[in-house]
Amino acid sequence: MEQPNKHQVLAKIEFPENHLTELTHYLPETYDYLLVQLDYQKRILAELEVTEVFELIENQVLQ
């Protein structure tokens, strides 16, 4: 499976964030599902950002 790019992950974060703010009444299962998805995508984003920084560090060391 191909690793998602940062733009895709940010779009996947924006979607549940928008839906969480638009919930007009309390739907516990829907709310929980959106939070799980949001947490999962934020973890992927953190991994991508750390990988980017590590790659920059590696490139600087090699130069």
Side-chain angles (χ1 to χ4, degrees):
M1 188 168 160
E2 186 178 320
Q3 188 176 22
N5 68 40
K6 203 170 184 177
H7 176 74
Q8 291 171 323
V9 174
L10 288 171
K12 289 179 180 180
I13 288 172
E14 185 177 321
F15 180 80
E17 282 181 337
N18 290 340
H19 279 75
L20 283 169
T21 60
E22 293 172 2
L23 287 177
T24 57
H25 54 283
Y26 187 68
L27 302 168
E29 290 155 357
T30 303
Y31 184 79
D32 290 344
Y33 176 77
L34 290 171
L35 284 178
V36 166
Q37 293 302 313
L38 184 58
D39 186 53
Y40 177 71
Q41 294 303 322
K42 285 187 175 186
R43 184 186 59 77
I44 292 172
L45 180 61
E47 288 177 11
L48 290 171
E49 289 174 341
V50 168
T51 299
E52 286 176 359
V53 171
F54 284 4
E55 286 174 356
L56 285 172
I57 293 168
E58 287 294 322
N59 289 335
Q60 289 175 355
V61 169
L62 295 176
Q63 291 178 3

